[in-house]
Amino acid sequence: MARPRQHAPEALHAQVMAACDAWLQERPVHTLSLRALAREVGCAPSTLLKLYGSFGNLLQHVNVETLGRLKLAIEGLAAATPEPRLKGLATAYWQFAQQDRYRWQLLFDYPLAEEGELDQRQSDMIEALFVRVEATLKEYQPALDDAEARRLARTLWGSVHGLVQLGLNQRLGYWQDQQLEVGELLDQLLTTILAGLRQPSSAS
């Protein structure tokens, strides 16, 4: 679990994270304030400032928890073969964004930590997610070298993220009076990219 400063009470930290979780299940982060959060956990705002240093740092701990939840959401996909695994990762990402919308928005709408332990925790967790995609791409197409897999993983996931963002905001448009489905577009995206990756092996 993400930890506050060295001498911070763990019990209060747990209360704060639980209060943030309850808030973000129903309301976006821009409606949350340090004062409102202190009221939820029954302490003074100054106590939270002493615990976390700033409201921004407090929200970074929420982001660490969100990344942990996202990791848990995709961990069960490791046993699948590469193609369904990648499609499963994209689907799990979309489902996570739908089910934990306000947490997901906080993760991307609020700047991540830029220094210290929180920065390292967040960077390590994000990198682990990309490494999972890289490894799956290399398993699917062994001809990819490390640099190619790294670039492709980020290009691919940037595309997945864009579809998810547009889907949440209902900005994907319509076809024959029906709203385009994110799941179908994700499947088409992955099918197209993976079909392209097959070419080097078939050409050889």
Side-chain angles (χ1 to χ4, degrees):
M1 180 179 71
R3 298 178 184 275
R5 294 183 173 185
Q6 186 176 358
H7 302 295
E10 292 295 329
L12 180 56
H13 176 64
Q15 282 184 283
V16 171
M17 292 297 101
C20 287
D21 184 49
W23 190 283
L24 292 171
Q25 285 179 17
E26 299 180 357
R27 291 159 286 188
V29 69
H30 66 75
T31 65
L32 179 62
S33 67
L34 191 70
R35 186 176 298 277
L37 189 54
R39 186 167 57 248
E40 290 287 327
V41 299
C43 71
S46 59
T47 302
L48 297 184
L49 286 176
K50 183 178 180 181
L51 181 61
Y52 294 101
S54 70
F55 185 50
N57 280 343
L58 186 157
L59 294 179
Q60 297 306 336
H61 285 279
V62 178
N63 278 339
V64 168
E65 286 205 343
T66 301
L67 287 168
R69 292 185 182 198
L70 180 56
K71 178 184 176 184
L72 287 175
I74 67 176
E75 274 186 340
L77 303 169
T81 54
E83 183 165 354
R85 190 189 314 155
L86 284 169
K87 290 183 177 181
L89 287 170
T91 300
Y93 189 68
W94 166 231
Q95 291 173 344
F96 181 86
Q98 288 179 293
Q99 293 164 6
D100 274 308
R101 176 171 186 154
Y102 295 131
R103 270 186 173 272
W104 189 86
Q105 286 179 341
L106 170 60
L107 187 61
F108 293 101
D109 291 350
Y110 200 87
L112 292 174
E114 295 182 356
E115 59 182 13
E117 180 194 7
L118 279 173
D119 173 44
Q120 192 61 51
R121 283 174 180 266
Q122 291 174 348
S123 297
D124 289 348
M125 296 172 87
I126 292 169
E127 183 64 18
L129 295 174
F130 276 124
V131 166
R132 184 184 294 264
V133 178
E134 291 171 29
T136 305
L137 288 169
K138 290 178 71 175
E139 184 180 344
Y140 182 83
Q141 176 48 270
L144 286 175
D145 62 31
D146 291 346
E148 289 172 328
R150 189 174 182 83
R151 288 193 296 269
L152 182 57
R154 282 151 179 77
T155 300
L156 172 60
W157 219 252
S159 301
V160 169
H161 177 80
L163 287 173
V164 168
Q165 178 75 70
L166 290 170
L168 286 177
N169 294 332
Q170 298 184 341
R171 293 292 188 272
L172 286 169
Y174 293 80
W175 171 251
Q176 295 182 342
D177 297 326
Q178 296 294 321
Q179 188 169 327
L180 291 170
E181 294 291 335
V182 175
E184 294 177 0
L185 296 179
L186 290 174
D187 185 78
Q188 183 177 17
L189 170 69
L190 269 296
T191 297
T192 303
I193 288 179
L194 293 176
L197 276 180
R198 290 192 197 103
Q199 297 309 309
S201 58
S202 8
S204 59

